[in-house]
Amino acid sequence: MSASLPVTILDAVFVAEARDVAQMPPAGPPEVAIAGRSNVGKSTLLNRMAGRRGLARVSKTPGRTRGLVLFDLALRVPGKDARQMVRLVDLPGYGYAQVSHADRQAWQVMVEGYVKKQTALKLVLVLVDARRDLGAEELQLMEWLQGMQVPCHLVVTKADKLGASERGILRGRVRGGMGVRAASVSMVSGETGEGVDALWSRIAHVLSQPKGDERPELA
Ligand code: GDP
């Protein structure tokens, strides 16, 4: 068995914010998109994953219409000589109580357009708050991604808020709730950094799968 050395982040840079899919820069490194409702801890986790405190603004502007925010990271993956590049794509948060139906539709159009167009997309991290249950939005998103043949990985955030037994219960509930959509699950805390190395190992594993290169562009 190989020793589980952590993935090291060598560099992390902001690339662009695309207001819509047409504005996306040309495809670069393999992409890992991050989705989650507002306040789930996405910015905190992204900063922690990148090892840069201020990379993703920990947004305090609920409902601000936002685009797709792209960051390029250079990784050192244990067992690999060359550095691995990955593009993290921060999808706009959803689930703001105060947004209109039109805003919700705009979110869907943007995210669906992105997933359909972007053949560089290898994995979607679907974030869910440890203190909330898996909602209809998360389930719908995972089901839809499955239909699009895009792998997704469920990430329970703010795990530091839970004790050991609560974690076990939540893990079981989340897995049960996902049913046939059973993706893999990680528990992380952007605040303490717990679980982030394991999450990176999981991502590196998915990126190393050759099959991921074959996803066709969908109409
Ligand atoms: P975003 O809206 O999804 O980007 O969420 P933020 O990263 O802005 O975090 C929302 C709130 O949750 C903030 O008050 C954070 O301090 C808090 N938060 C984020 N991550 C964690 C975590 O891992 N543990 C705890 N306890 N709180 C967190």
Side-chain angles (χ1 to χ4, degrees):
M1 227 168 87
S2 62
S4 54
L5 286 167
V7 169
T8 316
I9 311 304
L10 303 172
D11 199 15
V13 291
F14 166 78
V15 177
E17 175 171 355
R19 286 267 153 216
D20 56 44
V21 182
Q23 274 193 9
M24 286 277 290
E31 293 177 12
V32 175
I34 310 182
R37 61 177 59 243
S38 54
N39 234 27
V40 72
K42 188 147 60 74
S43 312
T44 308
L45 178 63
L46 220 143
N47 286 336
R48 178 66 76 165
M49 287 175 73
R52 302 281 187 282
R53 260 178 181 279
L55 194 66
R57 278 159 302 174
V58 179
S59 167
K60 297 293 165 233
T61 327
R64 177 175 88 81
T65 311
R66 229 207 51 183
L68 305 154
V69 185
L70 281 56
F71 305 95
D72 278 358
L73 275 62
L75 318 178
R76 171 88 57 225
V77 178
K80 295 216 167 138
D81 289 338
R83 48 162 49 192
Q84 156 106 56
M85 295 299 298
V86 58
R87 179 164 287 174
L88 294 183
V89 180
D90 182 6
L91 302 177
Y94 55 85
Y96 296 100
Q98 60 271 59
V99 303
S100 63
H101 180 68
D103 284 341
R104 259 195 291 275
Q105 276 203 322
W107 184 90
Q108 199 167 341
V109 167
M110 190 191 300
V111 171
E112 290 190 1
Y114 163 68
V115 172
K116 284 180 180 167
K117 179 166 184 283
Q118 212 61 12
T119 53
L121 177 63
K122 301 294 181 234
L123 177 69
V124 178
L125 305 179
V126 177
L127 273 47
V128 59
D129 190 319
R131 288 287 186 208
R132 295 183 71 132
D133 252 324
L134 212 50
E137 287 98 335
E138 286 82 20
L139 290 171
Q140 271 165 20
L141 179 61
M142 287 194 290
E143 201 161 77
W144 183 77
L145 288 168
Q146 195 179 42
M148 290 283 145
Q149 292 168 22
V150 176
C152 69
H153 179 68
L154 193 76
V155 179
V156 176
T157 62
K158 310 187 190 180
D160 59 285
K161 289 189 175 179
L162 302 180
S165 60
E166 286 177 303
R167 284 171 196 222
I169 293 166
L170 183 71
R171 205 176 263 279
R173 213 172 52 217
V174 163
R175 280 194 199 283
M178 285 196 297
V180 289
R181 289 166 289 262
S184 44
V185 182
S186 290
M187 293 219 176
V188 303
S189 167
E191 204 105 315
T192 67
E194 179 201 333
V196 173
D197 283 349
L199 176 59
W200 267 124
S201 298
R202 175 86 217 158
I203 294 169
H205 174 74
V206 173
L207 294 180
S208 72
Q209 302 292 304
K211 233 182 154 296
D213 293 336
E214 289 162 14
R215 199 168 76 86
E217 182 159 353
L218 298 157

